[in-house]
Amino acid sequence: MLAAASLVTFLLVHLVPVDPAEAYLQASKIPVTPSAVAAARMELGLDQPWAVQFANWLWRVLHADFGFSYLSRQPVWQEMMTHMPATLELTAAAICWVMMLALPIGIYTALKRGTLADQAGRLFAYIGASLPSYWIGYLLLYAFALRWNLLPVTGSGTFAHLLLPSFTLALGHIAIVSRLLRSTLLEELNKPYVLYARARGLHERTIFWRHVLRHALAPVVTAIGMSAGHLLAGAVLVENVFAWPGLGRYFVTAVFSRDYPVIQCYVLLLTAMFVGANLLVDVVQIMLNPRLHAVKGGSRR
Amino acid sequence: MRVFWRNLWKRHEARVGGIILSLVLLAALFAPWLAPHDPTAIDLSLKLQGPSWDYPLGTDHLGRCVLSRLLYGAQVSVGVAVLVMGVTMLLSLAIGLLAGYAGGWIDAVLMRICDVLLAFPSLVLALVLAGLLGQGLFNMILALILVQWVGYARIIRGLVMEARQRLYVQYARVAGTSPLRIMTSHLLPGLLPQVMVLASLDLGSVILSMAGLSFLGLGAQPPTAEWGGMISDSKAYLLGHPLLMAAPGFMIVLVVMAFNLLGDALQDSFDPTRQGGELDGA
């Protein structure tokens, strides 16, 4: 899977109408003359057949060597690794927000079904799913940082810096996950085992917290795991709003200056993390649900 | 059909979504008559003014009328999203029908391509494509279509494979109907309701990704009025003029929400066994 993905990543750059050699020269601020282009083609190995280029590239990628950035002339992999922790921190914090807010909201709206609180939750879900993250980021920035001076404006470093960007990133996912939890909880409550538990005389509270909630959490875990991948990708926009020194901002700069090695490295890295997150979800899913032990390898997707 | 529309109208999601969308579409269509000013007319002596009778929502950093830009922006933001979705759906229908009906190696090859493309986070792929193809509205449209078709093609293929087993299709085959004709006149009509639901559910997310790309500076280029670009333009003036930021974003939220509401309602009306939509719950 990743091999095929790497082929696509490789082709992406080579099928685009702009010659990498020219992009290299432009990014390095060297005047684009025919002789300079020829020299750059030699230097970048672009004069060789595609298959050879791909094989060479793949071999180097397997050794975590993505070449040098056209812009900064530093090894791409090292630069990626310096930007990586910031993005991971942001994503992890966003997942914390999702768990901290989506679970209580989902449980509360399921228990108070049909009340005003439930309707409010519904409205929140619709709005939350329709918000452009960068826009709400700016509005939060305006309110908390510029108007009330409660939190720092942009940058990173302290816990206070982390609050706004991670909440911005998480907001849409909070809406979706809380709604999902509510509907699975209501579905579970209608199942026969709940009736049986009631007949056994178990306390409503025990039934809900010990049994129903546990069953309803499985799809929620899947949703949170899947959203981890989307959060990593969504960080591109949020990082640009809050000047967060992560992968996303690095990548957008690279896209604008056609820094091909950086683009390739980012796409491949993110795809690997995306696939990895989905794989992790499947594993956790099997651990949570003993019924899936029997059909090992029988993927749920 | 009459019953279908009446059922749809009964849901208040459909009513709210439908009314908002009709208003926005009318505003987009009649923008040349409704807009008080030329959306691209620059007048630096009038820059960053607050709301007034002449400029109901004030002016931006180049003295352009914000209300006029919002109205014309609807043409780009909503119009282009509908165009993207339309072309994407045509492409997915063609590929899904081909893969699902032909089966065999054609199906295998097409589905492996889908598998690989689905492994990429779509926002990132669209960003790379739009960036590498070069900044501009047309390239962004191309990038979004290239990224979007995959998921739908897969769903449509599944639906086709199911429909292929039905008796009416088997009968058509025995009667010697050509494969092309079976696909267009027997399979296609059955797929349309589902395709409509998928399209309306996802139009909102297309608008969001489009505005996101424009916000980053890919997509519609200045001086074109476009909501995502307007948000990006106004970020430098956030402290003194929050309305410049709030207005275009509010329009995006409104339209995206309307599409989501309508999509949920459509889904329910086509499938009465399903209660509630994605965000609606049981």
Side-chain angles (χ1 to χ4, degrees):
Chain A
M1 183 51 117
L2 278 177
S6 63
L7 179 63
V8 174
T9 315
F10 175 77
L11 286 179
L12 258 181
V13 164
H14 289 258
L15 289 179
V16 161
V18 177
D19 186 353
E22 278 176 36
Y24 169 66
L25 292 177
Q26 275 168 6
S28 330
K29 307 248 161 34
I30 301 172
V32 183
T33 60
S35 62
V37 170
R41 291 182 77 86
M42 285 282 275
E43 193 187 329
L44 300 172
L46 292 169
D47 46 353
Q48 288 162 321
W50 276 26
V52 177
Q53 281 186 46
F54 178 59
N56 283 338
W57 183 74
L58 198 60
W59 180 249
R60 283 187 285 119
V61 165
L62 285 175
H63 294 84
D65 173 11
F66 283 85
F68 290 84
S69 157
Y70 292 171
L71 213 56
S72 66
R73 300 185 167 272
Q74 297 296 312
V76 171
W77 183 251
Q78 268 178 26
E79 291 209 324
M80 279 284 158
M81 287 305 122
T82 54
H83 288 93
M84 178 85 120
T87 296
L88 287 183
E89 185 190 347
L90 187 63
T91 313
I95 293 177
C96 289
W97 276 112
V98 173
M99 290 203 271
M100 262 163 32
L101 291 177
L103 299 188
I105 294 177
I107 293 170
Y108 188 74
T109 47
L111 287 175
K112 303 273 169 184
R113 184 185 181 186
T115 62
L116 202 64
D118 187 23
Q119 292 296 325
R122 203 175 122 121
L123 187 67
F124 166 70
Y126 268 113
I127 295 177
S130 318
L131 285 175
S133 59
Y134 44 94
W135 181 64
I136 203 67
Y138 278 118
L139 292 192
L140 290 172
L141 202 63
Y142 177 74
F144 287 97
L146 298 177
R147 240 319 95 111
W148 300 326
N149 280 319
L150 290 176
L151 293 167
V153 181
T154 52
S156 72
T158 66
F159 181 68
H161 282 99
L162 187 59
L163 284 174
L164 280 185
S166 56
F167 181 72
T168 304
L169 189 56
L171 194 59
H173 295 267
I174 295 172
I176 295 170
V177 171
S178 64
R179 227 45 209 168
L180 178 75
L181 179 61
R182 173 187 177 273
S183 66
T184 43
L185 276 174
L186 290 177
E187 210 174 288
E188 286 292 327
L189 278 170
N190 279 325
K191 290 204 170 154
Y193 75 88
V194 177
L195 194 66
Y196 173 64
R198 284 197 184 124
R200 266 164 64 204
L202 288 183
H203 203 282
E204 265 315 297
R205 221 175 279 161
T206 326
I207 300 175
F208 186 81
W209 293 103
R210 289 273 301 274
H211 301 281
V212 174
L213 188 60
R214 223 184 116 183
H215 287 282
L217 277 181
V220 172
V221 169
T222 315
I224 292 180
M226 305 267 275
S227 61
H230 290 285
L231 286 170
L232 276 171
V236 173
L237 288 166
V238 175
E239 282 177 8
N240 273 285
V241 173
F242 291 95
W244 188 261
L247 286 178
R249 221 155 62 97
Y250 181 49
F251 165 66
V252 171
T253 323
V255 166
F256 276 103
S257 51
R258 296 181 179 277
D259 198 343
Y260 288 158
V262 177
I263 297 173
Q264 286 177 324
C265 182
Y266 176 81
V267 172
L268 208 55
L269 197 66
L270 211 73
T271 307
M273 291 199 282
F274 199 65
V275 174
N278 289 351
L279 205 68
L280 200 69
V281 169
D282 283 350
V283 173
V284 173
Q285 200 60 250
I286 292 174
M287 276 158 52
L288 272 183
N289 190 345
R291 272 174 298 181
L292 290 175
H293 278 303
V295 279
K296 256 186 213 140
S299 136
R300 273 174 42 88
R301 282 191 301 127
Chain B
M1 207 59 195
R2 283 269 296 279
V3 179
F4 164 74
W5 287 115
R6 202 177 311 142
N7 275 339
L8 190 62
W9 190 247
K10 264 190 209 148
R11 299 173 182 280
H12 55 260
E13 295 104 320
R15 276 206 297 271
V16 174
I19 291 170
I20 295 177
L21 277 183
S22 327
L23 286 178
V24 172
L25 285 179
L26 283 177
L29 278 177
F30 293 105
W33 292 277
L34 289 172
H37 298 276
D38 179 352
T40 53
I42 294 174
D43 184 351
L44 288 174
S45 64
L46 288 171
K47 70 174 183 179
L48 297 172
Q49 293 201 337
S52 63
W53 280 112
D54 216 13
Y55 294 90
L57 289 174
T59 56
D60 69 1
H61 61 294
L62 295 174
R64 296 174 295 197
C65 169
V66 172
L67 179 66
S68 307
R69 287 181 71 72
L70 278 184
L71 289 170
Y72 276 93
Q75 289 180 343
V76 182
S77 299
V78 182
V80 170
V82 172
L83 177 77
V84 166
M85 191 46 103
V87 178
T88 307
M89 276 303 170
L90 285 180
L91 188 69
S92 311
L93 272 173
I95 291 172
L97 276 168
L98 187 66
Y101 190 73
W105 65 269
I106 299 180
D107 181 35
V109 170
L110 286 173
M111 284 309 114
R112 284 305 80 72
I113 295 177
C114 286
D115 280 344
V116 172
L117 287 179
L118 279 174
F120 291 96
S122 58
L123 178 69
V124 170
L125 201 58
L127 231 167
V128 175
L129 280 173
L132 292 183
L133 289 169
Q135 300 153 23
L137 192 57
F138 179 76
N139 286 335
M140 179 182 70
I141 294 174
L142 200 65
L144 282 173
I145 293 172
L146 285 174
V147 172
Q148 291 263 331
W149 69 271
V150 193
Y152 304 126
R154 237 184 182 197
I155 297 172
I156 291 169
R157 167 195 176 253
L159 294 171
V160 171
M161 289 182 80
E162 203 180 298
R164 199 172 62 164
Q165 310 299 327
R166 298 265 173 80
L167 279 178
Y168 67 92
V169 180
Q170 303 273 359
Y171 180 75
R173 282 171 74 174
V174 173
T177 316
S178 75
L180 188 68
R181 205 171 153 68
I182 292 182
M183 284 193 237
T184 52
S185 58
H186 293 276
L187 291 171
L188 191 60
L191 293 173
L192 285 181
Q194 265 118 338
V195 169
M196 262 175 66
V197 169
L198 279 177
S200 59
L201 274 176
D202 279 1
L203 258 168
S205 70
V206 171
I207 294 181
L208 278 182
S209 15
M210 252 180 54
L213 290 176
S214 297
F215 166 74
L216 288 175
L218 307 158
Q221 296 299 307
T224 313
E226 199 274 344
W227 295 341
M230 288 173 74
I231 294 183
S232 175
D233 281 344
S234 63
K235 62 190 174 197
Y237 311 97
L238 183 60
L239 182 58
H241 308 274
L243 185 66
L244 282 181
M245 170 75 64
F250 179 74
M251 290 306 294
I252 296 178
V253 175
L254 203 65
V255 172
V256 172
M257 200 162 82
F259 274 121
N260 286 346
L261 285 166
L262 202 64
D264 275 356
L266 266 179
Q267 190 166 30
D268 291 348
S269 338
F270 278 123
D271 181 3
T273 55
R274 247 186 66 99
Q275 284 291 307
E278 199 178 337
L279 296 169
D280 186 23

